[in-house]
Amino acid sequence: MTSLLRPILPAGRRPMVARCLMSTVAHSPAALGLVMPPWFGATPAHSSRPAVPAPPLRPKTDGALDSSMPPGFTAHVAHLDTFKLPERVTGTAGDRAMGKALVGAWRRDGIVQIAMNDDHRRLWENARAASQRFFKRPHHEKAKCVDAQSYAGYIASGEEITDGIADYSEIFTITKDLGPTDYRVRAKWPCHGPCPWPDSGMKEAMTLYNEALGREGERLLQLIEMGLDVAPGSLTRYTRDGWHHTRVLRFPPRNGTNGKGKAGRGIGSHTDYGLLVIAAQDEVGGLFVRRPNKEEKFANWKASAAGLKEDANDWLYVPPVEGVHTVILGDMMQYLTNNYLTATPHKVGLNTRERFSYAYFHEPSFQAVIKPLEEGCGGMRPDVEKEDEGIHYGKHFTNMFVRNYPDRITTEQLMAEDRYGMLDDEELRTMGTPPAAC
Ligand SMILES: O=C(O)CCC(=O)C(=O)O
Ligand SMILES: [Fe+2]
């Protein structure tokens, strides 16, 4: 850590770390797999929700870390924990310590960084190049990449609506790529259909990267189970045939309106729907998150959390860091853990240059009916009423996409053919077994 950056570190962290480091060798940053760049000030947190003061507010300046912040925003600048995940999670003391540290970091910051391995770096570079090639195509070619049954494919700038306002991001969405003979496609299950790839190069690059991220997602869930002190499988039971999907994004340069709740923004404040969002961003910058805060209550599966604190000045800016994924949490993680881990509100500002990012969503099965984890697991105390009927993930996903793309052909056909009601069919809710006791 350089002295230049010392003043913007949260004051509450250092004593806590000193305790951690003294307690056992297994808790040292190296044993936890924490990767510390030279400028890096963050450290593992093991306590329950720590009272960590936010770093000072900083407007965009020409300084070091925050120089990439989009103009027109004032925010805290994040200094995040970076974890190096084990190749396999087997339940060692190191795995357990890392699980606890991850959970602590999410409860403090709402976001963590994971060091990419060599494969991830190569796959991300390929995916990024494929995405740049795709977005450079003429509009009429991109616009052909839509499908009437799935939400996969192209979303033009201005087509996505968050909290009633158009986002300026341009997106290619990848959902489970199911051919016309798949029984779910033949039966016209909502959201099930092919991915309308523009070419085989894009298909290959994205599929390989997503498969690697899928393996990372599973390892993260296993570590979180340990961090929460719940039985193995309490989370991963839901991801069998998970409805993992991806948003490949391009943000145009800002157009002068600076995008805070007005036409011209990147993506408005929202939470994502499932368990984990594993993302990569290029060097331009634009992502802001909100740290967990007991004063801010939301439950996106009940009432839309979109637009939450959109114009507040106390967001945490996440500067691009080379060679890492960021991981934030989704609605289902919040529901499962009774708010112990909350979904991370986030938004994207437009910058002075175009920006590319890649958000992989590690999700439950479409058919999964999620039930909150047992009370008392890992010392959790639910502060929401238990909803005995659980949440049907497929219905939650469909609701989100219908809300975000009201005019898309997929939404029009779903409604015209009256297929929304299928989401209540028993066949589409076949994973509704209760979670294991702790
Ligand atoms: O571009 C990013 O960093 C985040 C994108 C995002 O929030 C989303 O696709 O839901
Ligand atoms: Fe998001």
Side-chain angles (χ1 to χ4, degrees), residues 65 67-69 124-125 128 132 280-286 317-323 351-357:
L65 260 183
S67 63
S68 61
M69 196 196 293
W124 156 233
E125 281 313 320
R128 174 157 87 154
Q132 286 173 340
Q281 60 175 330
D282 69 10
E283 66 291 348
V284 174
Y317 173 60
V318 182
V321 172
E322 219 247 302
N351 216 324
T352 50
R353 288 188 289 149
E354 68 176 350
R355 168 178 183 264
F356 293 89
S357 66

Side-chain angles (χ1 to χ4, degrees), residues 220-271:
L220 280 166
L221 291 182
Q222 290 174 296
L223 291 166
I224 296 170
E225 286 169 353
M226 287 178 224
L228 293 173
D229 282 325
V230 296
S234 298
L235 301 176
T236 53
R237 68 188 306 149
Y238 291 117
T239 54
R240 195 156 29 90
D241 195 26
W243 189 251
H244 311 314
H245 56 278
T246 303
R247 283 155 56 89
V248 184
L249 301 114
R250 172 188 174 266
F251 296 87
R254 72 196 281 261
N255 58 12
T257 62
N258 102 18
K260 291 207 291 179
K262 308 181 189 90
R265 72 177 177 187
I267 301 181
S269 159
H270 65 284
T271 61

Side-chain angles (χ1 to χ4, degrees), residues 107-127:
R107 280 166 56 79
R108 187 187 60 226
D109 297 328
I111 184 164
V112 302
Q113 288 172 170
I114 305 294
M116 290 181 179
N117 61 28
D118 290 346
D119 272 352
H120 288 144
R121 282 173 184 261
R122 184 176 47 80
L123 294 169
W124 156 233
E125 281 313 320
N126 289 345

Side-chain angles (χ1 to χ4, degrees), residues 161-179:
I161 309 292
T162 303
D163 194 31
I165 300 172
D167 295 327
Y168 270 50
S169 45
E170 195 183 2
I171 304 164
F172 189 90
T173 304
I174 302 161
T175 55
K176 203 180 275 295
D177 191 3
L178 302 171

